[in-house]
Amino acid sequence: HVQLVESGGGSVQAGGSLTLSCSAPGYTYTRTCMGWFRQTPGKERDWVAIYGSRGIATYRESVAGRFALSQDHAKNTLTLEMHSLKPEDTAMYYCGAVQPDGSVCRWTGAYWGQGTQVTVS
């Protein structure tokens, strides 16, 4: 059983920065179909920054230029650097990973962590 573990959330003032990390013991990071999602109460989980099936980082428009996705193969860790944070970035952030199904990332079958809360005031 694969368990993703997120860390790095917290409370910051608007304009501040946070770095989220996701480790996955037992899961082989391939820089494909991995990424960060977020969810607020009463809403569906939305993607934020992901590596697609071709390993290209894609960012939600609202975070482009402020967030940066990276992967440390040696540490088997996926990182999301978040800068210039805004109150609307407040959410529970989840790390997700799934093996590509050809050229498609089927996120409904992904492994997920427990989430880490980010609060921007």
Side-chain angles (χ1 to χ4, degrees):
H1 176 72
V2 176
Q3 179 66 49
L4 305 183
V5 180
E6 302 99 337
S7 62
S11 297
V12 295
Q13 293 187 340
S17 299
L18 284 173
T19 298
L20 305 184
S21 294
C22 175
S23 64
Y27 187 85
T28 300
Y29 279 7
T30 59
R31 196 171 172 143
T32 55
C33 297
M34 302 185 63
W36 289 91
F37 294 68
R38 67 188 180 188
Q39 188 172 21
T40 55
K43 295 187 177 182
E44 294 186 353
R45 189 174 300 182
D46 286 330
W47 70 276
V48 176
I50 58 173
Y51 285 121
S53 61
R54 298 180 180 180
I56 299 173
T58 304
Y59 299 92
R60 191 175 192 85
E61 184 176 0
S62 60
V63 308
R66 300 188 295 121
F67 290 13
L69 191 62
S70 64
Q71 186 180 20
D72 186 329
H73 288 279
K75 297 181 179 180
N76 216 30
T77 302
L78 184 70
T79 298
L80 182 68
E81 293 185 31
M82 306 186 295
H83 303 285
S84 301
L85 283 162
K86 304 176 180 180
E88 50 263 44
D89 295 318
T90 295
M92 184 71 80
Y93 283 70
Y94 297 90
C95 174
V98 64
Q99 294 297 329
D101 181 4
S103 62
V104 178
C105 301
R106 301 193 185 280
W107 294 104
T108 53
Y111 297 107
W112 299 100
Q114 295 298 310
T116 185
Q117 178 68 37
V118 171
T119 303
V120 185
S121 59

